[in-house]
């Protein structure tokens, strides 16, 4: 922690202070603009987050958000989303949502029409339909082509380990393999690089109003070829995103199975609460994961209630910089920002 404090003294924020503010992951320009337009038309920060994530869902951003992307082992696409109100600390989230395209809208419905935080699977889909969301097929020709090629390629890559038949060469059905001791080469073998860096991954959005109200949200169709029922970091409060109007907000993108174990968004917000610069808070959050998994793919965006923002990412071959979008009254348009990974 002493090293982190040194960073605070030496590193200034990547972004100048300006409110209102919208920050989003990756080069999702139209989604960022949609969130900003919601704020400018008198909407709340929750409206901004919902509108921005919803735009990405409709646009199928890079195939990693919304319907028709990231088929699971059965060829089906499912969706995860989260929205958090930094004023009230209310959270709504859905995971493994099927048949409904507007995952962020369903997440907000969970927050506003239930006393729960997270609904999953078929029950989440039924809830969505009860709330008036239309049931639609999330499969497209593109997602079926991805699935078909995967089957023809002996189901490679996949997320199985310590099973038979050998998951590195064969499709299932799988059953448990020989028992191994924790920490041995087999149980802690090299993790395949399932995440396609070029596919970009989750959209995370932070919105802060002129009066300092904060909200954040995420939406994704998860990991391609995931095991059915898998839930990543995106719909988990503190992992995929976190917001507190007394401090700021953060959102994560990348290998959710790894990142969710370290609650990077919660950690970044707590660091900003303690006075850490947003850029440093993001970097410390990434470092916490990197200490245990140096080859993980991921990035975090951060913004505090004064309007300063920043980001950090883990450097990998082919991934040396992380792009994200910022919209303020000063930029007057979605502004592409880039941070060097470390």
């Amino acid at each position: 922690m002493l090293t982190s404090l040194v960073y605070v003294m030496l590193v200034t924020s990547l972004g100048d202070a300006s409110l209102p503010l919208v920050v989003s992951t990756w080069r999702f320009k139209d989604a960022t603009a949609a969130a900003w337009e919601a704020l400018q038309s008198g909407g709340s920060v929750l409206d901004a987050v919902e509108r921005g994530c919803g735009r990405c869902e409709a646009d199928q951003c890079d195939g990693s958000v919304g319907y028709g992307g990231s088929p699971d082992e059965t060829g089906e696409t499912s969706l995860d989303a989260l929205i958090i109100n930094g004023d009230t600390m209310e959270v709504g989230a859905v995971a493994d949502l099927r048949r409904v395209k507007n995952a962020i809208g369903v997440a907000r419905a969970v927050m506003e029409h239930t006393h729960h935080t997270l609904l999953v699977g078929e029950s989440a889909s039924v809830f969505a339909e009860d709330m008036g969301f239309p049931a639609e097929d999330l499969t497209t020709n593109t997602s079926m082509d991805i699935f078909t090629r995967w089957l023809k390629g002996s189901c490679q890559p996949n997320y199985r380990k310590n099973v038979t038949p050998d998951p590195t060469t064969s499709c299932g059905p799988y059953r448990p393999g020989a028992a191994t001791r924790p920490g041995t080469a087999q149980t802690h073998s090299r993790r395949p690089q399932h995440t396609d860096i070029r596919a970009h991954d989750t959209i995370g959005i932070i919105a802060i109003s002129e009066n300092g109200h904060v909200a954040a949200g995420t939406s994704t169709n998860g990991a391609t070829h995931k095991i059915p029922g898998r839930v990543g970091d995106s719909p988990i409060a503190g992992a995929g995103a976190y917001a507190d109007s007394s401090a700021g907000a953060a959102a994560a993108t990348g290998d959710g199975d790894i990142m969710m174990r370290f609650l990077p968004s919660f950690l970044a917000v707590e660091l900003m609460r303690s006075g850490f610069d947003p850029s440093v808070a993001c970097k410390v959050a990434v470092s916490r994961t990197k200490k245990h998994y140096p080859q993980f793919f991921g990035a975090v965006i951060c913004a505090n209630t004064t309007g300063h923002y920043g980001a950090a990412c883990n450097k990998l071959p082919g991934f040396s910089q992380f792009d994200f979008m910022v919209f303020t009254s000063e930029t007057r348009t979605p502004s592409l920002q880039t941070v060097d990974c470390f």
Side-chain angles (χ1 to χ4, degrees):
M1 187 60 71
L2 180 59
T3 301
S4 299
L5 290 174
V6 172
Y7 277 130
V8 173
M9 292 186 288
L10 295 180
V11 183
T12 59
S13 180
L14 181 63
D16 294 330
S18 180
L19 292 176
L21 169 70
V22 172
V23 184
S24 69
T25 56
W26 304 111
R27 295 184 175 220
F28 298 146
K29 178 179 179 180
D30 292 342
T32 307
W36 179 259
E37 289 166 6
L39 282 179
Q40 293 301 291
S41 62
S44 68
V45 287
L46 291 172
D47 295 331
V49 168
E50 182 180 7
R51 190 84 58 85
C53 288
R55 177 62 184 269
C56 234
E57 292 170 348
D59 291 350
Q60 300 170 280
C61 284
D62 290 318
S64 62
V65 181
Y67 68 100
S70 300
D72 65 17
E73 284 188 342
T74 68
E76 188 170 5
T77 295
S78 59
L79 309 178
D80 298 343
L82 171 146
I83 191 166
I84 179 167
N85 184 336
D87 289 350
T88 65
M89 305 310 297
E90 292 175 290
V91 176
V94 288
D96 195 27
L97 179 72
R98 299 165 188 267
R99 300 193 306 276
V100 177
K101 291 182 177 180
N102 185 202
I104 190 67
V106 180
R108 188 167 180 181
V110 171
M111 181 176 67
E112 295 186 340
H113 299 295
T114 81
H115 289 288
H116 300 311
T117 294
L118 172 65
L119 296 181
V120 302
E122 176 63 19
S123 297
S125 302
V126 171
F127 168 80
E129 293 171 22
D130 289 345
M131 292 293 101
F133 292 88
E136 304 175 79
D137 189 357
L138 304 188
T139 301
T140 63
N141 290 337
T142 298
S143 64
M144 285 308 301
D145 286 345
I146 294 171
F147 177 61
T148 300
R149 291 197 302 270
W150 181 71
L151 289 177
K152 290 180 179 179
S154 300
C155 303
Q156 302 303 309
N158 61 63
Y159 287 87
R160 305 284 181 163
K161 68 177 183 179
N162 299 336
V163 295
T164 57
D166 184 352
T168 66
T169 59
S170 304
C171 296
Y174 302 103
R175 61 183 185 275
T180 55
R181 299 188 309 276
T184 63
Q186 185 176 359
T187 59
H188 204 61
S189 59
R190 182 183 65 84
R191 178 181 174 83
Q193 289 296 319
H194 298 284
T195 305
D196 183 354
I197 294 173
R198 293 168 298 179
H200 284 185
D201 218 29
T202 307
I203 182 168
I205 292 183
I206 296 167
I208 306 178
S209 73
E210 190 172 7
N211 296 323
H213 301 297
V214 180
T218 63
S219 184
T220 185
N221 53 36
T224 308
H225 314 311
K226 62 190 174 186
I227 298 170
R230 178 261 190 186
V231 176
D233 66 323
S234 296
I236 306 301
Y242 197 70
D244 187 333
S245 294
S246 66
T253 180
D255 190 341
D257 289 295
I258 297 299
M259 298 180 75
M260 69 191 301
R261 303 171 190 179
F262 301 92
L263 298 177
S265 296
F266 175 79
L267 175 58
V269 172
E270 290 307 297
L271 290 169
M272 288 187 289
R273 185 193 310 281
S274 299
F276 280 56
D277 178 276
S279 295
V280 179
C282 281
K283 189 168 185 178
V284 174
V286 170
S287 296
R288 184 70 58 87
T289 305
K290 185 173 183 173
K291 175 182 177 182
H292 296 273
Y293 294 91
Q295 297 303 309
F296 91 98
F297 163 60
V300 178
I301 57 173
C302 299
N304 63 22
T305 52
T306 65
H308 290 93
Y309 58 85
C313 51
N314 186 37
K315 187 175 182 178
L316 294 174
F319 184 62
S320 60
Q321 293 183 319
F322 172 61
D323 297 327
F324 63 105
M325 302 300 301
V326 174
F327 206 140
T328 71
S329 56
E330 295 179 354
T331 65
R332 299 183 181 180
T333 186
S335 173
L336 178 64
Q337 305 283 326
T338 300
V339 64
D340 290 331
C341 300
F342 69 98

